[in-house]
Amino acid sequence: MAGIIDVLLARRSVPAAMLEEPGPDAAQLQKILTAGARVPDHGKLAPWRFIVFQGDTRISFGKVLADIVLKKNPDAADKQLEDERQRFARAPLVLGIISSPVEHPKVPEWEQVLSAGAACQNILIASNGLGFAAQWLTQWPAFDKDVADALNLGESDKIAGFIYIGTARNSFEDRRRPELDEITEYWTG
Ligand SMILES: Cc1cc2nc3c(=O)[nH]c(=O)nc-3n(C[C@H](O)[C@H](O)[C@H](O)COP(=O)(O)O)c2cc1C
């Protein structure tokens, strides 16, 4: 296994549509989720939770998505509905990360939301560290009230993302990365 700095310095996403089997097995999934829960968390509030979509449940959730699309647009094309049914089947495993901030006298909501973002990033890094490729997506289902209801989300819950995990089908060029001197300054007083 590559060292953590190697994983971090090579980290990149692989589009969900380019992910194929194998995905993580049960033991690897436990490691990925454990890494996701091992994030900085002011107040030890665990203001996030995870929803696992794997095997047939990816398709059953896709049917939920297709029904929501059809409800909003009865004229939706068959192709669009089929794409929704297959949306979560693009990768062997999809993890929904829910940001669940609570009212707290000392820990602002912003910090709790950041902790959920850290959980997403830990899940990406853990997946890469185990040799898998991954992509963090939101897309329309992350912002839709009917989807939130279907997932039994509470009033203050938000979907931080859906992380698609699998094996990269093929390699392709990395994107240009930010120049450090454009985003970094050294405080000199
Ligand atoms: C919160 C969040 C949501 C994202 N949602 C999308 C999305 O819906 N669609 C998309 O193409 N990329 C989305 N991305 C970007 C990809 O995850 C990825 O970062 C991007 O493709 C660039 O690849 P890289 O991670 O190798 O830099 C999102 C990133 C974040 C942090």
Side-chain angles (χ1 to χ4, degrees):
M1 195 192 294
I4 190 164
I5 194 70
D6 300 314
V7 172
L8 285 167
L9 293 178
R11 194 214 68 80
R12 56 169 306 179
S13 301
V14 171
M18 294 179 68
L19 298 175
E20 62 182 11
E21 299 284 352
D25 62 22
Q28 289 168 322
L29 173 58
Q30 289 308 302
K31 283 186 180 164
I32 290 168
L33 295 174
T34 302
R38 205 175 172 91
V39 286
D41 172 10
H42 191 179
K44 305 180 192 71
L45 301 172
W48 18 257
R49 58 195 182 84
F50 312 133
I51 305 176
V52 178
F53 303 88
Q54 58 186 354
D56 292 345
T57 68
R58 295 169 303 158
I59 299 290
S60 54
F61 188 65
K63 287 182 183 150
V64 171
L65 296 178
D67 288 346
I68 291 171
V69 167
L70 193 59
K71 188 180 94 178
K72 292 183 209 297
N73 177 15
D75 297 328
D78 288 348
K79 161 87 169 73
Q80 185 186 357
L81 297 175
E82 183 55 19
D83 285 351
E84 293 303 342
R85 279 182 216 108
Q86 298 298 328
R87 177 179 289 279
F88 275 37
R90 287 179 288 177
L93 174 70
V94 183
L95 300 179
I97 290 77
I98 313 303
S99 165
S100 305
V102 293
E103 286 282 341
H104 192 281
K106 286 199 186 130
V107 185
E109 181 183 5
W110 169 234
E111 294 186 0
Q112 299 180 46
V113 172
L114 288 172
S115 183
C120 291
Q121 185 66 7
N122 263 20
I123 284 170
L124 285 180
I125 297 295
S127 301
N128 291 164
L130 289 168
F132 297 102
Q135 189 179 33
W136 176 354
L137 296 179
T138 41
Q139 303 185 309
W140 74 266
F143 305 105
D144 187 272
K145 176 79 175 87
D146 290 328
V147 174
D149 289 345
L151 293 174
N152 300 315
L153 301 196
E155 272 303 303
S156 61
D157 290 350
K158 284 202 173 71
I159 296 171
F162 295 107
I163 301 188
Y164 292 68
I165 304 169
T167 299
R169 187 167 288 136
N170 40 36
S171 59
F172 59 102
E173 268 191 30
D174 195 6
R175 71 177 174 92
R176 183 182 166 272
R177 299 289 160 176
E179 297 295 334
L180 278 191
D181 58 4
E182 288 173 13
I183 56 165
T184 309
E185 62 180 292
Y186 291 83
W187 178 249
T188 53

